[in-house]
Amino acid sequence: RKEVEQDPGPFNVPEGATVAFNCTYSNSASQSFFWYRQDCRKEPKLLMSVYSSGNEDGRFTAQLNRASQYISLLIRDSKLSDSATYLCVVNSDTGRRALTFGSGTRLQVQP
Amino acid sequence: GAVVSQHPSRVICKSGTSVKIECRSLDFQATTMFWYRQFPKKSLMLMATSNEGSKATYEQGVEKDKFLINHASLTLSTLTVTSAHPEDSSFYICSARHNGRGTDTQYFGPGTRLTVL
């Protein structure tokens, strides 16, 4: 079983739609959780950290359920510029802070 | 935000040559840097953790004699792919850990695309 699992998609949605991505992680001792965005042939960029209480940044809302080991990302009012691959990322090794990446969910927002 | 650079951004080389990739943190000191590899349509896979002033820690299955890592200063880590072969062709990305007052975040370099002919 992979440490971090995501639905690979692609998710094809029209502009203005709301889309949700899910992610599960296997290590119950994981401490930190993130969503990264990666554009084609570019490096990943931090979108937002994910906190137990849930957090929102503009059109983006992240949720964490530690009991279910489940993380989600909700994007409201999708823009064309949101088209990218969204990576669920977990830090299970608090000493080194090495990150474990999910394989990513591809989003294509269409006009 | 913090900036991490990588050089070169792209390299094409013949099989058997060695390739050195540099990763620099431009506006902060990074005692820890990480090297990842990403094959097409796959996720980033951690190769090794680079620690300033000490030996790198390699992930299982990564040959330390093939992927030489040097972290000689707080702002520079290098990855050398020795005797590169076509199967080493990949996107290599470094990240630098920024651990300061009120922050503990990793910042990624722009990546180096290696093609071995």
Side-chain angles (χ1 to χ4, degrees), chain A residues 34 36 38 40-46 87 94-104, chain B residues 10 32 34 36 38 43-44 46 49 57 59 91 93 97 104-106 108-111 113:
Chain A
F34 311 89
Y36 276 73
Q38 186 174 26
C40 187
R41 301 174 78 85
K42 299 285 187 182
E43 77 278 21
K45 292 189 190 287
L46 178 65
L87 304 168
T94 54
R96 289 187 302 147
R97 302 301 272 187
L99 301 175
T100 301
F101 285 78
S103 55
Chain B
R10 186 183 178 97
T32 305
F34 302 94
Y36 296 85
Q38 185 176 34
S43 188
L44 277 77
L46 179 67
T49 303
T57 305
E59 295 302 299
F91 190 42
I93 309 175
R97 181 183 177 192
D104 189 356
T105 306
Q106 284 190 38
F108 284 84
R113 195 161 300 280

Side-chain angles (χ1 to χ4, degrees), chain A residues 13 21 33 39-40 48 66 87 89 91-92 96 99:
Chain A
V13 303
F21 303 139
F33 310 90
D39 292 288
C40 187
M48 59 197 302
R66 286 187 183 268
L87 304 168
V89 183
N91 176 9
S92 300
R96 289 187 302 147
L99 301 175

Side-chain angles (χ1 to χ4, degrees), chain B residues 70-92:
Chain B
N70 185 282
H71 193 156
S73 80
L74 287 170
T75 58
L76 174 64
S77 175
T78 60
L79 168 69
T80 301
V81 183
T82 61
S83 187
H85 290 283
E87 58 267 27
D88 298 322
S89 299
S90 187
F91 190 42
Y92 291 85

